[in-house]
Amino acid sequence: MDVNVHQREIKFKMGVVPQENNLDPDFTVYENLLIFSRYFDIPEDEAKKRVDELLEFVHLEERRDTMTDSLSGGLKRRLVLARALINRPRLLILDEPTVGLDPQSRHLMWDKLKGLKKQGVTIVLTTHYLEEASQLCDRLVIMDNGKILVEGSPTDLIQEHIGSAIVETDNDPNIISCLDVHQANYEVLGDEIQIYTDKPQEVTDHLLSECKLTSVTARTATLEDVFLKLTGRKLRE
Amino acid sequence: MDIGMYFKPPELTSGAFKVWRRNKDVFMKNVKLNFLPPFIEPLLYLFAMGFGLGLFIEEIDGVPYAKFIAPALISVSVMYGAFFECSYGSYVRMYYQKTFDAIIATPLSIEDVIIGELLWGATRSTISATLMLPVIALFGLITFPHSLLIIPFAFLAGLLFASLGMCIAAVTPNIMSINYPILLFITPMFLFSGTFFPLNVLPEIVQYIALAILPLTHVVIIIRALTFGTPGWFLLTNLLWILVVCAIVFVISVNLMKKRLVI
């Protein structure tokens, strides 16, 4: 369907969780959902049923008569999610769904989104939390300045750009020359060196035996490493 | 810039009535509080001006002063009801509450939202006028059944003032700046539209200006003729003026707001 021609039809099948919680402050939790259901032409009886289900789904049954202004950030976010689901969307769009949330609320949001994914809802989300992207995405795109840098599944991207692991050690000229000799794939970041590898054990042993190291840490590579490698470490703005 | 874009007729769909209903529901949540001003306001004005100031004014055009200003009180409240709802009220919903943003993510369009707001503004005027009628009737200042026509007329006049308010909300850089159009347009209308003294005591040129650009002048003429029980064909000119201006400002206000929200 063309968005310019079938805007209404498309919006009927879509749910949106905007970055800003634009709940209706003139109404309670329950009323927010019920009034939203009218915009989708959902008959009132059916709407009431769905509102009850959704309040249970996001654990807000106890707050149904609270005005939305007095909800905490996490509760507001859950209500916005529930609101986006009132029309049983086939496509759910979320803009930074967990920004500013405490870890419990964030994990709850992730659980809900995973559940929706299993039910077959297509989810498109933007996020700066790379852990969130690794947890939720089947396919992901890293963008910088409006351009797509890479796309693929989180594990593929890590494997392709970093390798499976990272060995971190102190910045030291001796180590650098030692690494150069071995043609290692490394990067210097301030007073730290990161070595990208698929064989962390070997590299660590090597470093410890040949390069006289004081400290070495080996860890699994993450999407964050890919992101920083691709977009650079300079602060934006 | 294409000036024609401001005159593009908007599409009226059932979506507008859903927005209207949302605003009605908010109003009904505080219905007792919202119903009070239309009862109290005319009492204050009637006591202060009609019976206080009125002691010094014998009669205007052969009618007691309180009877002269009674229709003006209704007209002013029709103006205020819609204008404030669609200037401050709509601005707050748009800018602070982000209510419009939330609604246009649903199948409703921007036009639905703005038209719904305007229809609600007109409804506020109708509610005010309807509630004021019995209060003023208690003092025997209006004629029935003619005055009942004020109720449907208040919706039309209200739509005009709602559209004016919406234009302001669409162009104002911030909420404080809404004071200026009120100071420069609404307050002069309150004073110089034949409200508290007859238009014909003003210099002729001012009379023409009032008739040409102050919508309240026409509203007062019509409502006064109805409360006096003396309607006539001459009112059709005033009605036509209001209809035409209402249609134009309505369309412009929707397009101005659309422009503000899309960019």
Side-chain angles (χ1 to χ4, degrees):
Chain A
M1 278 197 279
D2 184 341
V3 282
N4 291 312
V5 188
H6 298 105
Q7 215 176 74
R8 260 181 226 269
E9 290 90 330
I10 292 173
K11 291 202 286 182
F12 263 111
K13 295 182 176 149
M14 208 174 86
V16 180
V17 174
Q19 185 167 2
E20 199 169 2
N21 290 328
N22 51 16
L23 293 163
D24 204 325
D26 291 324
F27 294 109
T28 65
V29 167
Y30 183 82
E31 290 165 335
N32 254 273
L33 296 178
L34 197 64
I35 282 163
F36 225 67
S37 75
R38 286 186 208 150
Y39 304 145
F40 292 93
D41 290 328
I42 303 166
E44 197 168 326
D45 290 342
E46 168 68 16
K48 282 182 175 160
K49 226 172 66 195
R50 285 195 201 178
V51 171
D52 288 333
E53 280 168 23
L54 284 170
L55 286 178
E56 199 189 317
F57 179 67
V58 296
H59 311 290
L60 279 172
E61 307 103 309
E62 314 260 291
R63 300 303 191 101
R64 55 187 286 147
D65 296 323
T66 310
M67 294 300 280
T68 55
D69 263 348
S70 44
L71 295 176
S72 70
L75 298 185
K76 278 187 182 149
R77 215 68 194 127
R78 269 143 64 184
L79 182 57
V80 175
L81 176 66
R83 193 184 65 177
L85 298 173
I86 192 83
N87 57 326
R88 307 230 166 107
R90 284 168 55 194
L91 170 65
L92 184 62
I93 296 177
L94 305 103
D95 190 2
E96 302 276 2
T98 63
V99 94
L101 294 191
D102 57 86
Q104 285 82 0
S105 301
R106 178 176 306 161
H107 280 274
L108 181 82
M109 181 68 91
W110 288 351
D111 286 345
K112 297 300 169 194
L113 293 179
K114 283 176 190 164
L116 289 165
K117 208 170 94 179
K118 273 203 195 109
Q119 290 169 30
V121 178
T122 305
I123 299 177
V124 176
L125 71 88
T126 66
T127 182
H128 276 107
Y129 292 129
L130 293 146
E131 196 198 340
E132 180 162 288
S134 329
Q135 290 253 357
L136 298 174
C137 298
D138 300 321
R139 186 170 150 259
L140 119 115
V141 170
I142 295 181
M143 293 184 74
D144 190 26
N145 282 322
K147 287 207 179 67
I148 294 178
L149 297 179
V150 287
E151 69 177 278
S153 77
T155 42
D156 287 353
L157 286 179
I158 295 168
Q159 197 57 45
E160 187 182 329
H161 293 276
I162 303 281
S164 62
I166 288 183
V167 178
E168 291 171 336
T169 181
D170 294 334
N171 186 0
D172 184 310
N174 293 328
I175 301 175
I176 290 182
S177 52
C178 179
L179 287 169
D180 283 337
V181 170
H182 290 89
Q183 289 179 325
N185 179 9
Y186 72 92
E187 212 175 332
V188 181
L189 307 161
D191 50 11
E192 188 185 86
I193 301 176
Q194 290 195 342
I195 305 144
Y196 307 133
T197 175
D198 289 332
K199 299 167 192 138
Q201 189 65 45
E202 263 174 54
V203 173
T204 313
D205 291 346
H206 226 75
L207 286 171
L208 288 170
S209 57
E210 293 185 26
C211 306
K212 289 183 201 151
L213 284 183
T214 41
S215 75
V216 170
T217 322
R219 62 175 174 84
T220 323
T222 65
L223 212 48
E224 188 134 341
D225 298 312
V226 180
F227 186 82
L228 289 173
K229 191 179 175 199
L230 292 172
T231 62
R233 283 176 186 266
K234 275 210 194 88
L235 281 180
R236 308 294 157 125
E237 294 159 295
Chain B
M1 184 130 54
D2 179 14
I3 196 90
M5 67 176 275
Y6 295 112
F7 294 97
K8 195 173 159 278
E11 191 193 353
L12 176 66
T13 75
S14 63
F17 297 100
K18 291 171 193 153
V19 176
W20 179 89
R21 204 172 150 200
R22 178 225 167 257
N23 288 340
K24 185 215 67 177
D25 288 349
V26 179
F27 181 86
M28 294 308 282
K29 282 185 81 133
N30 298 303
V31 71
K32 283 180 200 147
L33 215 62
N34 287 323
F35 267 27
L36 226 47
F39 283 119
I40 296 172
E41 210 180 50
L43 291 177
L44 291 176
Y45 275 102
L46 280 177
F47 278 115
M49 302 185 75
F51 307 120
L53 192 63
L55 284 180
F56 301 93
I57 304 163
E58 300 229 319
E59 281 183 338
I60 289 181
D61 299 338
V63 294
Y65 191 58
K67 193 175 170 190
F68 180 80
I69 63 163
L73 298 181
I74 301 173
S75 309
V76 165
S77 112
V78 164
M79 170 171 82
Y80 282 165
F83 182 84
F84 284 107
E85 185 67 36
C86 289
S87 54
Y88 283 111
S90 296
Y91 189 82
V92 165
R93 285 188 285 275
M94 168 188 71
Y95 186 82
Y96 293 100
Q97 302 188 178
K98 313 278 177 202
T99 309
F100 295 4
D101 291 350
I103 298 177
I104 56 181
T106 73
L108 271 60
S109 67
I110 296 179
E111 290 182 358
D112 293 334
V113 175
I114 305 163
I115 296 175
E117 290 275 315
L118 293 172
L119 293 176
W120 173 246
T123 308
R124 283 297 304 258
S125 295
T126 315
I127 294 171
S128 293
T130 311
L131 293 174
M132 283 174 81
L133 284 178
V135 181
I136 298 178
L138 275 181
F139 296 91
L141 300 173
I142 53 179
T143 316
F144 285 103
H146 306 83
S147 291
L148 290 177
L149 281 173
I150 292 171
I151 296 171
F153 175 68
F155 190 86
L156 171 67
L159 196 59
L160 169 54
F161 293 116
S163 306
L164 283 170
M166 189 62 80
C167 288
I168 307 298
V171 297
T172 190
N174 53 54
I175 196 157
M176 299 299 283
S177 304
I178 299 178
N179 283 332
Y180 283 96
I182 290 173
L183 187 69
L184 298 173
F185 187 57
I186 299 296
T187 307
M189 254 199 293
F190 172 75
L191 296 168
F192 299 106
S193 297
T195 37
F196 301 106
F197 53 87
L199 210 54
N200 59 26
V201 304
L202 292 168
E204 205 166 317
I205 180 81
V206 181
Q207 291 183 40
Y208 287 128
I209 293 173
L211 281 167
I213 63 166
L214 301 182
L216 191 63
T217 312
H218 299 275
V219 175
V220 170
I221 291 172
I222 292 178
I223 294 187
R224 185 166 285 143
L226 292 172
T227 60
F228 284 9
T230 55
W233 294 112
F234 67 94
L235 292 179
L236 286 181
T237 329
N238 305 104
L239 191 63
L240 191 68
W241 190 97
I242 292 172
L243 273 170
V244 171
V245 174
C246 180
I248 295 170
V249 184
F250 178 87
V251 171
I252 293 177
S253 76
V254 175
N255 289 310
L256 274 178
M257 202 62 174
K258 236 168 97 176
K259 192 169 153 250
R260 174 170 195 147
L261 285 169
V262 172
I263 298 164

